[in-house]
Every structure is written in structure tokens, then in C-alpha cells.
Amino acid sequence: MSDTTAQPKSATKDAPSKPNWWRQAAVYQIYPRSFADHNGDGLGDIKGITARVPYLKELGVDAVWLSPFYPSELADGGYDVADYRDVDPRLGSLADFDEMVSALHASGIKLIVDIVPNHTSDQHEWFQEALQSPPGSAARDRYVFRDGIGPDGSQPPTDWQSVFGGPAWHQVPDGQWYLHLFAPEQPDLNWDNKDVHEDFIKTLRFWSNRGVDGFRIDVAHALTKDLSEPLPTWEELRHLMHENLPLDGTHPFWDRDEVHEIYAEWRKVFNEYDPPRTAVAEAWVPRPRRPRYASAEGLGQAFNFDLLEAAWDASEFREVIDDNLTLSSESGASSTWVLSNHDVVRHVTRYGLPQDPDTKNGKSWLMTDGKEPKLDRELGERRARAAVLLLLALPGSTYMYQGEELGLHEVGDLPEEAMQDPSYFRNKGVEKGRDGCRVPLPWTPDGASFGFGSNGAHLPQPGWFADVAVAVQENDPASTLWLYRRALEARHKLQSGEALEWVDNGNAEVLHFARPDGWQCVTNFSAQPVPLPPGEVVLASVPVDDEIPADATVWLKV
Ligand code: NOJ
């Protein structure tokens, strides 16, 4: 058993480094089961990541965010955690984890791990104990158990729907019901219970003591609930999601004010370390509610998914950038910029679809197995290259998702028998699910699984992966991989301060801004070339002469 008390600052494994390393970090998300498979069982693993640390170093990222690698029945891709303080044996061991941390740190790369505090797996020992304990027991109090309604309690306590579709309550053999905002295999924890508080603090110290530098907090806005009667009906709640949540924290389970008391507790733990551990909230809340999650007394940073939801459109981008810079000045945090992650259709594909509200998120395209509307692959790739240069020039941290550095498209035509995502099974006919962005990476143009492992991959890889494999792009200076490497290297040299000033260029379809010390970024969102402003071209998403072509970004030194 590893120690879960905080180690004194002087005894932490890492030498202290800059406490603000996260403010303008380029963070690379690894979805571990699909990154690299070392032992040839078809699932990516920890040793696979360690073996690829040189790749990450050459890419030039400052930190890795590792999606869940804990023991899990994989009812939700690892976000159903059976033990928060161990490694899934299929992915390796704690010793492998330590080795990975050392290898990352030796290459100057920080590590952020995912913490899933809203729900456990139904295989977690607490939930198993709760099932074997009677209603009203201490074991049941760690979760949200309720009696049903109707004469014999055979109806769920409310008619609420889970995020993945289907009812949000599941009945256990003795007749009680438990709440699961996600899949039934993900019972919600009761954050009014002190065991729950204590155990997560133990977990945060456990990983901090192993040298983890920060945490990504899963559905950070969900933990606290007010289930006092009378409870609203689903009809009253169904439209209250994300940007539409009430601004006064009165929703029964999303974004309640009390949740911040938890993060204030956690902040004290983070600050026991040197440098303090960082955290970033995954909180789908209205923009004005975000700064509190990102405050220095709370998690310290919060995801901004606004660009991920925006169309390829200059005015939308400009509004999102302005709003988020204002929000981050309110919280004191730096902003975060995200185009893709393991939950959404890859942005390279999204940008190749018509940019209308119905199509731009790619969900309808997935429902037709990638046939309708017609995807313009090349347009998507060009815009994605322009977009990443724009993001990397913004003040704040950029979170990138594995594979985007290859310009990887979504796999839109996975066969039904390959699907793993619960949102597909619980929402059939409405959601195709998230498997298409989780297909294991192609490292080589041939081999059993394009170099992912020696023995196939847990999701089928399409033939076109051969053309975009890492080894192919490494030989091609015009490739997206080279663009990412050059951009990350240049950004390290160019970045100073966190200021941004817009440069007026008289064209609403061109975004032009200046950062300190003469670094400028110009993105042409239009379909026509525009004149190249004065300055030395440091980097461009496509070749430029005296004009910036359509859908392109240029970095200038002025
Ligand atoms: C958000 C995660 O990003 C997603 O993958 C997961 O399904 C839900 N939270 C539930 O944990």
C-alpha cells in the first residue's frame, strides 16, 4: 500500500519547478487504450506510452493528460473506475506507472491524470458492499439510493433521463433505486458523505506523491446534489443543460454552488506540494459560471469548450476568444483552448462538413456512417491546420487530443459489432457514439495494427490510416505532424506574457492579433486569399507568398 498522507514539500519526488508551468502549457491528451500497445493484447497500455515518450518530446508538448487508466470494466471507456489507486492490470502496474512518470519528467513533460469523482464503477468495492447492505445502511449512504414511488415502489423516484439515454435510476433486487447520471454501471456518489470526501483526498495525495503534476476533474459540475422533495420532472429539466443551466446554482444536480466547497478542500491538498498540483475542471456550465471553477481557491483552471462548439467562422472565434479572455481575467486563471477530445467528432472532420448548426458537430454525419453530408477531407485538414496555429498563438493552455497532430479524421464507418460506447447502445438511432475518435493510432503504414501493437487493435482501423501514419508523416516536411512540431517549438521561443491585442485589418473574415514582443497571428477564414501583412513569416499552415490563401494561418514576427 502506498502512502496517502502528503509528503513534506522537501520530500516530493520532483525537484520544484516553476509553479505557473500550466498557464501557457501545450497539453497532449492520451486516451491510453488507444495510444500504443506494448504487450500485443490489442489494448494500449502504460508501457506503450513510456516507449513513445521520445515521440512526445519531439512533438514538443509541455504536459500529457492521461484519460483513466484505472481498473475498470470498461462500461464507459474507463470512466467507470473500480479502484482509484491502482492501474488496470491490462494496462500495466503501479511500477509501470512510476516508470512512465520518470520517463516523462526526464523529458521535461508534466503529467495530468483524470479523476472521476461523480461516480464509481458498479464493480467498485463500495458499490458491491452497498448492494450487499440493507437500505439505510452506511454502505448505501455513500451512493444515492432512494425508495421507488407508486404503491409498491416499483417506479423510479423520478422520470429523469441519464446523459447516455434511458432512465437515470436503476433498481436493485431489494427494490431500492440508485441514481446514475451516466450509465447504470456508473452509480453516482453521495458527496454529503464524509467517507467520499476522505477517500478522494487520499486519492489526490496518492497520485501527487507518485509525482503526478495535476488533475483533470471529470464532470466537475455534477458532484453535489439537492434531491429534496418536490423534485422537478424531466419535462422541467430536459432543456437545462450546459449553456442553459440556471445561473443561480439551483439545478438539482448540475453546477450547484456547494460543489465549490469540495474544490476548496482539494485546493488545500494541491497546495501541500511544491509546485502546487494543478487541476482543470471539465464543467459544462454557462460561461459566467466558469470562473469559479477556475479560481485560485478552487481547481485553478476550467475547460473552455467554446471553440470546440464553434463553426469555422471568424466572428464566432473572435467572440469566443474575447469572452474567454475576460472570464480568465475574472478568475485569475489562464484560459484553455480545445478543438477535440475523446468525446467529440474529430475537428479535422467537423471542419470538412457544412458549417451549419445541424451538421457542424459531425453527429448527423456519423449517423449515416460518414456518407452524408459529403465530407471534404482536404478542406477539413486545411482548416484544422489553420485552427491549431491560431489556438497555439493564444494566451493560455492548449489541450490537444492524440492523433490531431496527424490530421487524423474521425472513423465514420465503424461496424455495429465493433461499437463500445454506452451512448451508442443507450441511444441507438440518435447517437452513433464516440468510438470513431478513439480508434487506435497508426504509427506505421503497415503491420498488424499500423504499428499500434503486434496483434490487432481493440477498434478496427481503416485502410486509409496507412497514408497518415506517424512514420509516413515523419518523412514529409509538409505533413501536419511537422506543422505541429514546428509550431510547438516556435511557440516556446515566441511566448512571453499573456497579453493579446487585436490588430484591425478591415476584413471581418480575417482575425489578426498581436502578442508581446512582436509575435503576430493572422487567420484568413474566408474562401479568398488576402494580402499578407508586413512582418517576417515564422510559420504558416500552408505555403504563403505575398498573400494568405483561404483557410490559412500565418505567424509573423513584426
Ligand atoms: C466526461 C468524460 O469525458 C466522458 O468520456 C465520460 O463518459 C463522462 N464524463 C462520464 O464520466
Side-chain angles (χ1 to χ4, degrees), residues 76 79 119 164 182 186 216 218 282 342-343 434 438:
D76 179 20
Y79 284 88
H119 41 265
F164 295 150
F182 294 89
Q186 293 167 297
R216 178 260 189 194
D218 190 63
E282 187 218 17
H342 65 295
D343 288 333
R434 302 163 294 178
R438 300 176 177 183

Side-chain angles (χ1 to χ4, degrees), residues 229-522:
E229 309 277 346
L231 288 165
T233 61
W234 186 240
E235 196 42 44
E236 292 166 280
L237 289 182
R238 56 184 302 160
H239 298 295
L240 302 181
M241 288 288 282
H242 305 174
E243 283 295 321
N244 297 325
L245 282 170
L247 292 173
D248 58 1
T250 53
H251 193 281
F253 48 85
W254 299 128
D255 191 31
R256 296 191 58 78
D257 289 333
E258 309 88 83
V259 80
H260 298 287
E261 292 166 23
I262 300 171
Y263 302 135
E265 265 179 21
W266 290 11
R267 174 46 57 192
K268 289 193 192 121
V269 176
F270 300 148
N271 288 351
E272 287 164 3
Y273 293 87
D274 183 13
R277 286 357 186 194
T278 66
V280 55
E282 187 218 17
W284 292 87
V285 298
R287 285 183 200 175
R289 301 275 296 176
R290 235 182 256 150
R292 206 154 161 207
Y293 291 87
S295 75
E297 299 76 45
L299 293 174
Q301 211 180 33
F303 278 126
N304 137 32
F305 295 119
D306 302 336
L307 287 182
L308 176 154
E309 293 188 314
W312 178 247
D313 176 89
S315 60
E316 271 196 57
F317 267 61
R318 168 115 191 209
E319 187 207 303
V320 165
I321 293 166
D322 282 339
D323 275 12
N324 280 284
L325 293 179
T326 307
L327 293 175
S328 55
S329 66
E330 259 174 54
S331 66
S334 59
S335 196
T336 59
W337 310 105
V338 187
L339 294 173
S340 280
N341 61 33
H342 65 295
D343 288 333
V344 296
V345 173
R346 284 180 177 278
H347 66 273
V348 183
T349 300
R350 297 198 315 261
Y351 288 157
L353 294 169
Q355 295 294 287
D356 59 68
D358 293 338
T359 319
K360 69 171 195 225
N361 66 16
K363 288 188 179 179
S364 57
W365 176 83
L366 273 184
M367 290 307 291
T368 66
D369 290 339
K371 293 192 183 79
E372 284 288 330
K374 188 159 172 23
L375 169 66
D376 185 335
R377 295 178 83 89
E378 196 269 331
L379 179 67
E381 287 155 26
R382 205 168 65 232
R383 287 177 172 167
R385 289 169 65 105
V388 76
L389 286 199
L390 190 163
L391 257 71
L392 288 172
L394 292 170
S397 346
T398 303
Y399 285 78
M400 296 165 290
Y401 177 52
Q402 67 180 37
E404 69 168 75
E405 77 280 17
L406 306 177
L408 207 62
H409 275 281
E410 185 86 3
V411 180
D413 54 357
L414 284 173
E416 165 148 19
E417 61 279 9
M419 303 302 258
Q420 300 175 8
D421 183 358
S423 67
Y424 171 67
F425 296 106
R426 292 179 63 82
N427 244 323
K428 258 194 175 164
V430 184
E431 291 266 334
K432 182 78 178 281
R434 302 163 294 178
D435 294 308
C437 66
R438 300 176 177 183
V439 175
L441 291 190
W443 293 91
T444 54
D446 39 34
S449 51
F450 299 106
F452 165 70
S454 53
N455 235 335
H458 69 100
L459 281 167
Q461 299 156 299
W464 53 262
F465 265 27
D467 304 331
V468 289
V470 172
V472 173
Q473 299 204 28
E474 273 180 331
N475 292 325
D476 176 7
S479 67
T480 297
L481 179 58
W482 274 61
L483 182 76
Y484 270 70
R485 285 179 178 171
R486 285 190 179 132
L488 288 163
E489 191 189 2
R491 170 183 154 106
H492 278 130
K493 295 187 189 132
L494 294 165
Q495 213 164 36
S496 84
E498 294 186 25
L500 175 149
E501 245 178 66
W502 292 106
V503 178
D504 187 17
N505 56 58
N507 183 342
E509 291 190 80
V510 176
L511 294 190
H512 185 171
F513 58 84
R515 299 287 309 277
D517 296 335
W519 180 19
Q520 296 198 0
C521 175
V522 194

